[in-house]
Amino acid sequence: MLITSDVFTAPLVGEPTASAEIEELRWLPLTPDAVHAPRLSPMLIEHVIPALVG
């Protein structure tokens, strides 16, 4: 299976809140250790976090 994703960064304006189809928000510090956080998708662990940290 191939998954294609676009990831964007932007300055944070205001306080994010969960609404509509989003049930939960969690802050994840962008450090190399972030890939060990529980319940993250393989896409985040293998691609997104390393790209943002690196």
Side-chain angles (χ1 to χ4, degrees), residues 9-51:
T9 61
L12 178 62
V13 178
E15 183 68 27
T17 58
S19 63
E21 74 277 4
I22 307 300
E23 183 176 316
E24 176 188 13
L25 294 176
R26 289 185 291 147
W27 286 108
L28 180 66
L30 285 179
T31 65
D33 294 346
V35 297
H36 302 294
R39 297 177 13 197
L40 293 180
S41 71
M43 182 181 68
L44 285 174
I45 293 169
E46 297 169 12
H47 302 286
V48 176
I49 293 171

